[in-house]
Amino acid sequence: MGTAIGPDLTRLAAVLGPREMALLMLARVKQHVRLVTVSGHAFSGILKRKQGQEIEVWDLSRTPPELRTLSEVESIKPDPGWEHPPREAGYTLEELADVIGYLRWTASGSQNKVKPKDVDVRAVSRSR
Ligand code: HEM
């Protein structure tokens, strides 16, 4: 309900190949994450909405992300430091292939096995 914290993966997995999915999961560059500072404390967040002086923001430092309503925000800036969790999860190529295979199955019902070599993009994504 409301604003999702990330993209609809079933839509993405329906149109992207396994390699493209892996690249997006492991890429460092993200577009929507902001560094939100409130009462001298900064956290990574996804803005949901702004209403008058109040903002609603998904706090990505909580697991799972937590919706917070804040009234006295000091600053909202781009957050180049945020790491997308799958980057740090230490998936093996087999596990990455299984996650992507599962998403493709939810998107299209495809039961074709995704192979580890189809998602081997780590050397590329490390430098992005
Ligand atoms: C295996 C689990 C996950 C998969 C397969 C996955 C996949 C993806 C993909 C494909 C994107 C699109 C990236 C792009 O378009 O550049 C994305 C973006 C995003 N994901 Fe995930 N993700 C996973 C876990 C998580 C978790 C655990 C969180 C939060 C705690 C998260 C938060 C986000 C956010 C906030 C974005 C948007 C980033 C931005 O554009 O600024 N993801 N994810």
Side-chain angles (χ1 to χ4, degrees):
M1 292 208 296
T3 305
I5 63 145
D8 180 345
L9 296 181
T10 57
R11 286 182 185 216
L12 274 184
V15 293
L16 299 180
R19 192 181 155 78
E20 293 162 307
M21 281 296 288
L23 272 171
L24 285 181
M25 281 170 70
L26 301 178
R28 177 158 278 144
V29 179
K30 292 281 168 267
Q31 292 177 342
H32 305 289
V33 180
R34 297 288 177 268
L35 189 67
V36 181
T37 304
V38 60
S39 308
H41 171 72
F43 65 92
S44 300
I46 290 281
L47 301 185
K48 183 179 176 192
R49 67 173 174 172
K50 191 173 189 309
Q51 230 177 9
Q53 290 303 309
E54 279 191 349
I55 65 158
E56 286 184 339
V57 53
W58 289 102
D59 183 344
L60 298 176
S61 69
R62 310 282 170 91
T63 304
E66 193 180 293
L67 187 60
R68 295 172 67 181
T69 304
L70 305 168
S71 52
E72 290 183 11
V73 176
E74 284 156 38
S75 66
I76 299 176
K77 298 178 187 159
D79 185 4
W82 183 72
E83 291 283 358
H84 187 227
R87 250 188 93 80
E88 303 296 294
Y91 290 132
T92 63
L93 286 180
E94 285 77 9
E95 288 167 337
L96 193 57
D98 281 350
V99 170
I100 291 171
Y102 171 73
L103 289 170
R104 287 167 68 80
W105 172 73
T106 62
S108 67
S110 161
Q111 294 195 8
N112 292 342
K113 190 166 168 52
V114 175
K115 300 190 189 87
K117 71 171 173 49
D118 300 334
V119 298
D120 190 0
V121 296
R122 287 187 289 194
V124 181
S125 68
R126 225 174 267 132
S127 59
R128 288 182 85 193

